[in-house]
Amino acid sequence: MRAIRLLVVAGLILAALIGAAVLRPSSGSAQPPGASGYLVLSKEGRQPLAVALLNGHEMVSLDDVGRLFGATVKEDQVARGLVVTVQGKTIALSGTQGLASIGGRVVSLSTPPARSGSSWFVPVDFIDRALALVYEPKLDVRTRSRLIVVGDVRVPRVALRVEPQAGQTRLIIDIAPPTAHSVVQEPGRLIVRVDADALDAELPTIVPNDVLRAAHLTPNAPAIGIELGPRFSTYRTADNVLDANQSRLTIDLVSSETRITSTPPPVTPSPFPAPTPPPARPPMFAENAPANMLRTIVLDPGHGGEKEGAHGPGGSLEKHITLAIAKQLKTALEAKLGVRVLLTREDDRLMKLDERAAFANNNKADIFISLHTNASVRSSITGTSVYYLSLSDYTDEARRVAIAENGQALPTIAGADRQVELILWEMAQVQHIEQSAALAGVIERRLGERVKMNSRAIQQAPFRVLVGANMPAVLVEMGFISNPGEEKQLNSPAFQQAIVQSLVASMVSFREYLEGRRATAPHVPVPVGAPRPSVPQPQLPEPRER
Ligand SMILES: [Zn+2]
């Protein structure tokens, strides 16, 4: 059962000065104060930012943005847009499309600006997608808890979950980044205090039992109140540093009806409250440092919703296979590489091609991989292949596949009547073509170790989904669903795992390639549009697994 999560915002550091005596359960903690708006947290304190619903979008007034962030706004009648100036830098907003241009970089917004009364409104994502790119100090928008964190304000994410066990109830509280905290007992409750300015907290609805009645954020302090039930007798805590980015506090609430012989907490108790935060452990795979070369990977399961993709003769749909493999790949990449992996879609939904690239851009992905299955009118054609973007010349076969995937031919790049923003959007991938080619080369080799490749295993094609991706990006056609044997294979766990393992190995190799390249290799641009350019072949180390 999926617990309904309540999103709650905690209070200020000032409240830490107020004694525990005034801490009391918040009433109606489901609705934080100003739930419809955002709270801007900075060193100077906190300020509300009102949110208006315009045409179904959550928008903020540029007047408020100007007041809070010192921005000025001018209408550009010629370009039919808006120019926002902040700290001497400009953000150009299209008046008709959800696009913003910042120093030549184009980002997408969920909706264009809208005028209401005498004020201009922009979508809330303007703040993290556009303003945050130029603003100092850094802006961190926490959509879930409706916080905008300005600069070096400590607002750790805190997620609590409850595990009922025999004779006791276990509370698991994950804190990211690891932050010093303490647990103190008061009559009828425990208070988990966190050494922070505020909490970005996610608390579940509690099903009350004998030892636990409720959990809530305390109204004026960065702390969680745990209301105890009538049979509560004692508690035990344990701390564990999961990795450099996250620590876990486990609290077992023991029932008076249980002899205290139940399962001990999962880790050795540590002496919290500690005077200093837990030691930061090196991140996983620290031997691959600098680990920050590859932080976020966006996987794009092709098609979805009414766009079913290719159909197999046995009735399989491409959209289901791509999603199934993407989910397995996400799990494997997170476990093996310790990177953040996001899917453009997590379920069977329709998503536009440009939105997929925009999703990767907005999440600052370091790599974009679109997953597909190929199809041909000739059912005998088989094999896996890897594509990266071509901008002009391409083979008839590549054109056919691209038209099948795009739904239509890709319009010529940089047509004379296009708006500047659109040209920039369509050029996003150009600057990454060399690395995309290298990425495709790595993936082709690793795939070739485990699955049968197509006779043309690496190709360029004008895939719309790759055009706007502002990072190395490839599209993998994992096999021909139009071939009965490969259709069966594409549905088989063994083949799906082979694809997953190959792509995991590829990411390990590509990370090493990136690190070596930054250390040594000069930038060698690849001529754009060469019919069959030679793919830069990075020096690959031996695979690390097995
Ligand atoms: Zn496809």
Side-chain angles (χ1 to χ4, degrees):
M1 191 188 85
R2 181 180 291 173
I4 299 166
R5 303 218 175 258
L6 302 181
L7 305 179
V8 199
V9 173
L12 263 185
I13 187 171
L14 292 178
L17 303 171
I18 303 170
V22 302
L23 297 176
R24 52 184 194 281
S26 65
S27 55
S29 58
Q31 285 297 312
S36 58
Y38 273 74
L39 203 54
V40 181
L41 293 172
S42 69
K43 287 277 186 217
E44 284 73 43
R46 60 168 163 183
Q47 303 228 41
L49 173 60
V51 170
L53 261 186
L54 295 176
N55 307 321
H57 291 275
E58 289 198 339
M59 313 278 278
V60 295
S61 129
L62 280 177
D63 298 342
D64 286 343
V65 171
R67 178 176 52 79
L68 288 166
F69 301 100
T72 58
V73 182
K74 263 194 340 209
E75 286 186 44
D76 185 337
Q77 304 285 0
V78 179
R80 286 184 300 163
L82 297 170
V83 177
V84 178
T85 306
V86 61
Q87 296 175 338
K89 295 174 184 133
T90 57
I91 301 168
L93 284 164
S94 162
T96 54
Q97 304 180 75
L99 291 169
S101 173
I102 304 117
R105 178 171 172 192
V106 177
V107 297
S108 71
L109 304 178
S110 55
T111 187
R115 193 190 254 288
S116 177
S118 62
S119 297
W120 278 100
F121 285 76
V122 289
V124 171
D125 53 30
F126 167 81
I127 293 170
D128 58 323
R129 294 183 186 175
L131 187 62
L133 297 183
V134 298
Y135 194 79
E136 296 284 342
K138 72 178 156 77
L139 294 178
D140 187 5
V141 178
R142 311 282 181 89
T143 314
R144 217 183 46 183
S145 50
R146 301 184 83 82
L147 291 173
I148 297 168
V149 180
V150 184
D152 198 15
V153 181
R154 297 165 310 148
V155 188
R157 288 169 214 273
V158 176
L160 180 149
R161 64 177 202 272
V162 179
E163 281 182 5
Q165 299 180 334
Q168 65 180 19
T169 293
R170 176 164 291 175
L171 303 176
I172 295 167
I173 303 174
D174 286 340
I175 305 174
T179 307
H181 50 269
S182 60
V183 181
V184 295
Q185 188 169 5
E186 296 182 358
R189 72 177 66 101
L190 300 178
I191 302 288
V192 181
R193 287 204 195 111
V194 182
D195 182 20
D197 299 320
L199 300 183
D200 173 2
E202 183 174 14
L203 304 183
T205 41
I206 301 285
V207 180
N209 63 25
D210 280 356
V211 294
L212 173 66
R213 289 197 295 116
H216 52 81
L217 283 161
T218 57
N220 296 308
I224 298 170
I226 294 161
E227 302 297 321
L228 302 168
R231 295 208 183 277
F232 169 82
S233 68
T234 187
Y235 73 100
R236 291 175 300 215
T237 68
D239 279 287
N240 193 7
V241 177
L242 298 181
D243 57 49
N245 304 316
Q246 187 162 231
S247 67
R248 172 167 294 173
L249 166 66
T250 305
I251 305 175
D252 285 344
L253 307 176
V254 181
S255 164
S256 56
E257 302 209 320
T258 314
R259 282 167 302 161
I260 308 186
T261 52
S262 52
T263 327
V267 289
T268 325
S270 79
F272 272 107
T276 53
R281 291 199 185 157
M284 279 189 284
F285 294 88
E287 69 272 20
N288 291 328
N292 63 1
M293 299 289 296
L294 196 53
R295 284 163 303 191
T296 302
I297 298 173
V298 165
L299 303 177
D300 173 44
H303 311 277
E306 64 193 49
K307 301 271 187 198
E308 297 177 332
H311 291 214
S316 306
L317 299 182
E318 178 181 0
K319 65 172 183 174
H320 293 320
I321 292 169
T322 59
L323 182 60
I325 294 177
K327 284 182 171 173
Q328 295 171 54
L329 180 56
K330 170 182 162 72
T331 306
L333 284 171
E334 285 173 342
K336 286 262 174 72
L337 278 87
V339 294
R340 181 169 76 132
V341 182
L342 303 170
L343 303 189
T344 53
R345 64 178 179 97
E346 309 238 8
D347 50 23
D348 183 20
R349 74 176 59 192
L350 183 67
M351 200 175 179
K352 286 183 192 155
L353 294 172
D354 282 348
E355 285 172 359
R356 296 169 189 255
F359 175 86
N361 294 347
N362 293 336
N363 284 290
K364 303 181 173 59
D366 301 303
I367 285 182
F368 179 82
I369 302 176
S370 190
L371 297 173
H372 289 260
T373 67
N374 216 331
S376 170
V377 287
R378 289 166 55 202
S379 67
S380 59
I381 297 182
T382 59
T384 303
S385 44
V386 187
Y387 290 82
Y388 63 102
L389 187 70
S390 82
L391 297 171
S392 52
D393 296 335
Y394 45 89
T395 65
D396 288 345
E397 170 63 9
R399 184 202 300 264
R400 183 197 65 72
V401 176
I403 289 174
E405 297 290 6
N406 293 337
Q408 58 178 16
L410 192 67
T412 317
I413 301 290
D417 58 350
R418 281 172 184 273
Q419 294 184 16
V420 169
E421 293 94 331
L422 282 180
I423 293 169
L424 289 173
W425 171 260
E426 298 201 333
M427 297 304 275
Q429 179 58 209
V430 174
Q431 59 191 316
H432 301 287
I433 282 288
E434 180 199 355
Q435 288 206 347
S436 296
L439 176 62
V442 168
I443 292 176
E444 183 226 355
R445 286 216 224 165
R446 291 292 177 241
L447 281 167
E449 293 165 357
R450 291 178 175 83
V451 304
K452 178 179 170 290
M453 300 301 288
N454 183 263
S455 55
R456 299 198 47 210
I458 187 159
Q459 296 186 55
Q460 283 188 281
F463 285 127
R464 178 83 218 181
V465 71
L466 301 179
V467 166
N470 193 21
M471 72 277 316
V474 297
L475 185 148
V476 180
E477 296 279 7
M478 300 180 287
F480 275 80
I481 199 173
S482 47
N483 174 272
E486 291 212 339
E487 178 189 20
K488 228 174 258 167
Q489 213 176 35
L490 283 162
N491 283 298
S492 78
F495 181 82
Q496 294 187 351
Q497 269 307 303
I499 295 278
V500 166
Q501 294 309 319
S502 303
L503 291 174
V504 168
S506 304
M507 291 305 100
V508 171
S509 298
F510 191 66
R511 181 161 66 181
E512 287 164 359
Y513 160 71
L514 283 180
E515 288 158 8
R517 181 182 179 278
R518 185 162 77 168
T520 57
H523 178 79
V524 185
V526 163
V528 164
R532 184 81 170 94
S534 64
V535 175
Q537 292 292 329
Q539 290 295 316
L540 292 184
E542 286 308 300
R544 283 173 183 241
E545 301 99 306
R546 296 184 290 125

